[in-house]
Amino acid sequence: MQGFVLAANAKSQAINFAICLAVGIVAGVFALLYFRRSSVAEMFLTDLFATLVLGGGYIACLELVFGGKFELYGLVGYLFGTPIIPFAYKLAIRAIAKKQKGKKNLDTTSQE
């Protein structure tokens, strides 16, 4: 009687997932370009550049980590990693704005 054997090593899959997650986090820096405010032409160029870099990052991850073979867990790792930096940036901006708003409220009440 033969036992159940997985087709791949779970340890190597976890390492590949972590690498794709890390590449996604690095690509998230370029995803910050989507939040840039500028003219229409500049916005088009920055959005195009960010999209090409994000797509190129995934293709590089696909080629270098998986040997050109599509793996769903690699895509999931990359997609989970990409929004981390923009989300942290938005939270930091909100916290700074809230702190400055509270500071302004204190200044106006102390002047009265």
Side-chain angles (χ1 to χ4, degrees):
M1 181 170 192
Q2 288 185 337
F4 181 71
V5 180
L6 293 174
N9 186 1
K11 190 176 185 181
S12 68
Q13 286 181 343
I15 291 170
N16 290 346
F17 180 84
I19 291 171
C20 285
L21 185 72
V23 171
I25 291 171
V26 171
V29 174
F30 292 99
L32 288 172
L33 290 173
Y34 289 121
F35 301 113
R36 190 169 172 252
R37 293 184 182 162
S38 58
S39 67
V40 176
E42 287 179 10
M43 195 180 322
F44 171 76
L45 290 175
T46 56
D47 287 355
L48 179 66
F49 177 72
T51 303
L52 290 174
V53 169
L54 290 172
Y58 177 68
I59 291 172
C61 186
L62 189 71
E63 287 295 323
L64 298 175
V65 176
F66 296 109
K69 188 174 123 186
F70 174 76
E71 296 289 342
L72 186 60
Y73 66 91
L75 177 64
V76 170
Y78 187 80
L79 291 178
F80 278 171
T82 304
I84 290 175
I85 298 284
F87 183 69
Y89 175 76
K90 286 287 190 180
L91 285 178
I93 293 297
R94 285 184 188 150
I96 290 170
K98 189 176 182 181
K99 187 176 180 181
Q100 288 177 349
K101 184 179 179 184
K103 195 174 185 181
K104 283 183 182 180
N105 287 342
L106 281 175
D107 290 342
T108 57
T109 55
S110 64
Q111 289 177 356
E112 292 176 353

mmCIF file of all heavy atoms in Angstrom, residues 19 22 31 48 61 98 110:
data_model
loop_
_atom_site.group_PDB
_atom_site.id
_atom_site.type_symbol
_atom_site.label_atom_id
_atom_site.label_comp_id
_atom_site.label_asym_id
_atom_site.label_seq_id
_atom_site.Cartn_x
_atom_site.Cartn_y
_atom_site.Cartn_z
ATOM 1 N N ILE A 19 9.274 34.825 -1.079
ATOM 2 C CA ILE A 19 10.021 35.620 -2.062
ATOM 3 C C ILE A 19 9.059 36.459 -2.898
ATOM 4 O O ILE A 19 9.302 37.651 -3.126
ATOM 5 C CB ILE A 19 10.898 34.707 -2.951
ATOM 6 C CG1 ILE A 19 12.038 34.114 -2.129
ATOM 7 C CG2 ILE A 19 11.441 35.480 -4.148
ATOM 8 C CD1 ILE A 19 12.822 33.039 -2.844
ATOM 9 N N ALA A 22 7.838 39.309 -0.817
ATOM 10 C CA ALA A 22 8.857 40.355 -0.700
ATOM 11 C C ALA A 22 8.973 41.175 -1.980
ATOM 12 O O ALA A 22 9.094 42.407 -1.933
ATOM 13 C CB ALA A 22 10.203 39.734 -0.349
ATOM 14 N N ALA A 31 3.758 51.347 -6.633
ATOM 15 C CA ALA A 31 2.307 51.521 -6.635
ATOM 16 C C ALA A 31 1.913 52.858 -6.017
ATOM 17 O O ALA A 31 0.802 53.339 -6.240
ATOM 18 C CB ALA A 31 1.633 50.373 -5.893
ATOM 19 N N LEU A 48 1.197 54.564 -16.373
ATOM 20 C CA LEU A 48 1.755 53.596 -17.318
ATOM 21 C C LEU A 48 3.055 53.008 -16.787
ATOM 22 O O LEU A 48 3.254 51.786 -16.820
ATOM 23 C CB LEU A 48 1.982 54.253 -18.683
ATOM 24 C CG LEU A 48 2.586 53.365 -19.767
ATOM 25 C CD1 LEU A 48 1.620 52.249 -20.138
ATOM 26 C CD2 LEU A 48 2.946 54.194 -20.989
ATOM 27 N N CYS A 61 9.483 37.729 -11.090
ATOM 28 C CA CYS A 61 9.287 36.750 -10.021
ATOM 29 C C CYS A 61 8.898 35.394 -10.604
ATOM 30 O O CYS A 61 9.392 34.357 -10.175
ATOM 31 C CB CYS A 61 8.211 37.265 -9.071
ATOM 32 S SG CYS A 61 7.964 36.275 -7.601
ATOM 33 N N LYS A 98 -4.293 63.983 11.208
ATOM 34 C CA LYS A 98 -5.095 64.016 12.428
ATOM 35 C C LYS A 98 -4.324 64.696 13.553
ATOM 36 O O LYS A 98 -4.887 65.480 14.318
ATOM 37 C CB LYS A 98 -5.474 62.593 12.823
ATOM 38 C CG LYS A 98 -6.468 62.493 13.932
ATOM 39 C CD LYS A 98 -6.855 61.043 14.170
ATOM 40 C CE LYS A 98 -7.893 60.926 15.260
ATOM 41 N NZ LYS A 98 -8.260 59.530 15.503
ATOM 42 N N SER A 110 -6.337 77.938 22.703
ATOM 43 C CA SER A 110 -5.454 78.625 23.645
ATOM 44 C C SER A 110 -5.344 80.115 23.330
ATOM 45 O O SER A 110 -5.058 80.920 24.200
ATOM 46 C CB SER A 110 -4.067 77.985 23.658
ATOM 47 O OG SER A 110 -3.449 78.130 22.398
#
